[in-house]
């Protein structure tokens, strides 16, 4: 199950967190991976920790830059002949209410969480489409949405607006590529609260909202919203991403995989 032998993946925002764990599991599953991120030192360390140059390489990628995307896709093509998998994982959390957020902050959030997904998809399509011709199950895109792209977020309504956009862009892109006969499946994944740097930012903003500096107390509150009794780990989400990227998800496109410990079941 969930093998990726011979496939080439580009993962944005993979220097740390969910993206880094996804890169690790993808290499374990037989893929070769380009790790794209703005964190250069961390990205190189992650690539080194995962494998040799033959399986994982770092490429600087700011998802808001068309030139960076072209360079990252070009790196995958030059090294390994093209792309079979794109994971639009890079994202940012703002943690501010509607009245506190500035216009500049909103523009930055949109640039990373929305423009980044649009650009990555648009610019990777030629390569994904080309490689799909030689593969019976085609190519795959996996977009990192969130539970906040399914239900409202009192912590960060603007983040929620961007992730709602990712949720529906996923479905629309799936429909467009199916109509055009590209054989590129597009699916989203919707994590609950995951213990990463971003997860920590959500605890800090939750603490601020309830008027305390006690981040641990805020973490406990976040935990209590997950019926399964714990917060998520990066590997919980990475396993779902690997599945969606693999041929085992061959009949899935335009779908959202909810991996949230029961949070949105309530
Ligand atoms: N952690 C959670 O609780 C959670 C929940 C739901 C969804 N998500 C989503 O999962 C994805 C990964 O989140 P994470 O928890 O691993 O966060 P993280 O902050 O640990 O990692 C995000 C990565 O994206 C990179 N990044 C940020 N801006 C970038 C840019 N402009 N170009 C390229 N890379 C950039 C960061 O440098 C970082 O390495 C995000 O899209 C996030 O919104 C996370």
């Amino acid at each position: 199950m969930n093998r990726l032998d011979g496939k080439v993946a580009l993962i944005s925002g993979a220097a740390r967190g969910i993206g880094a764990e996804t890169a690790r599991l993808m290499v374990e599953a037989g893929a070769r991976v380009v790790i794209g991120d703005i964190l250069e030192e961390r990205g190189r360390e992650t690539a080194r920790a995962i494998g040799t140059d033959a399986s994982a390489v770092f490429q600087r990628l700011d998802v808001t830059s068309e030139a960076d995307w072209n360079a990252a896709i070009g790196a995958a093509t030059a090294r390994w002949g093209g792309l079979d998998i794109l994971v639009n994982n890079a994202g940012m959390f703002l943690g501010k209410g509607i009245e506190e957020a500035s216009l500049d902050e909103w523009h930055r959030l949109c640039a990373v969480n929305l423009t980044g997904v649009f650009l990555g998809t648009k610019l990777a399509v030629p390569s994904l489409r080309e490689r799909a011709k030689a593969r019976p199950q085609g190519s795959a895109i996996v977009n990192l949405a969130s539970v906040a792209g399914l239900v409202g977020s009192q912590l960060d309504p603007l983040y929620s607006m961007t992730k709602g956009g990712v949720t529906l862009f996923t479905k629309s892109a799936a429909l467009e590529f199916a109509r055009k006969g590209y054989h590129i499946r597009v699916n989203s994944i919707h994590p609950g609260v995951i213990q990463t740097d971003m997860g920590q930012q959500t605890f800090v903003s939750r603490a601020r909202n309830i008027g305390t500096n006690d981040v641990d107390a805020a973490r406990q509150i976040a935990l209590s919203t997950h019926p399964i009794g714990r917060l998520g780990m990066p590997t919980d989400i990475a396993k779902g991403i690997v599945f969606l990227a693999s041929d085992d998800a061959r009949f899935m496109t335009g779908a959202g995989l909810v991996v949230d410990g029961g949070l949105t079941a309530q």
Side-chain angles (χ1 to χ4, degrees):
M1 277 283 283
N2 301 350
R3 294 298 305 174
L4 300 174
D5 298 293
K7 300 204 183 205
V8 179
L10 168 58
I11 309 173
S12 70
R16 70 181 189 203
I18 293 168
E21 178 62 5
T22 302
R24 193 182 71 75
L25 290 191
M26 283 194 168
V27 167
E28 227 174 68
R32 287 159 294 176
V33 174
V34 177
I35 290 168
D37 209 295
I38 45 177
L39 301 177
E40 301 194 27
E41 211 168 301
R42 183 80 182 262
R44 286 204 177 83
E45 266 171 40
T46 300
R48 266 196 303 273
I50 287 173
T52 64
D53 261 13
S55 55
V57 291
F58 172 77
Q59 172 76 33
R60 192 197 137 79
L61 167 65
D62 178 342
V63 293
T64 68
S65 156
E66 204 163 357
D68 279 13
W69 272 112
N70 281 327
I73 294 158
T77 307
R79 193 173 272 269
W80 293 314
L83 266 190
D84 303 285
I85 297 163
L86 169 68
V87 184
N88 282 311
N89 167 75
M92 61 175 282
F93 181 80
L94 186 59
K96 290 190 176 176
I98 296 162
E99 293 164 290
E100 287 78 45
S102 71
L103 187 57
D104 281 351
E105 285 169 329
W106 163 245
H107 282 151
R108 181 68 193 152
L109 195 67
C110 283
V112 177
N113 292 3
L114 289 171
T115 305
V117 176
F118 157 59
L119 277 182
T121 304
K122 174 185 166 77
L123 299 173
V125 157
S127 186
L128 293 169
R129 193 182 160 200
E130 192 52 39
R131 294 276 282 208
K133 290 180 185 160
R135 302 211 180 267
Q137 306 306 333
S139 299
I141 299 176
V142 183
N143 294 327
L144 269 286
S146 170
V147 288
L150 297 172
V151 298
S153 162
Q154 45 157 314
L155 275 187
D156 196 335
L158 302 183
Y159 173 82
S160 177
M161 176 149 55
T162 64
K163 291 299 184 178
V166 172
T167 302
L168 280 187
F169 175 72
T170 299
K171 295 186 188 301
S172 304
L175 295 176
E176 179 178 340
F177 299 155
R179 171 171 59 79
K180 291 178 168 171
Y182 285 1
H183 300 293
I184 303 172
R185 298 181 299 100
V186 191
N187 293 292
S188 55
I189 190 157
H190 302 263
V193 179
I194 311 303
Q195 302 200 67
T196 62
D197 291 68
M198 188 184 288
Q200 188 64 25
Q201 286 170 37
T202 71
F203 306 144
V204 171
S205 102
R206 191 180 285 274
R208 200 184 321 116
N209 276 5
I210 54 175
T212 163
N213 288 326
D214 191 345
V215 175
D216 268 350
R219 187 179 173 282
Q220 283 306 316
I221 295 170
L223 195 157
S224 71
T225 65
H226 293 65
I228 210 161
R230 67 171 175 88
L231 294 167
M233 300 301 290
T235 206
D236 296 321
I237 306 307
K239 283 174 195 277
I241 297 170
V242 172
F243 165 65
L244 289 174
S246 79
D247 291 349
D248 289 307
R250 67 190 72 187
F251 197 54
M252 288 180 75
T253 196
L257 183 62
V258 180
V259 186
D260 70 349
L263 190 150
T264 54
Q266 302 166 92

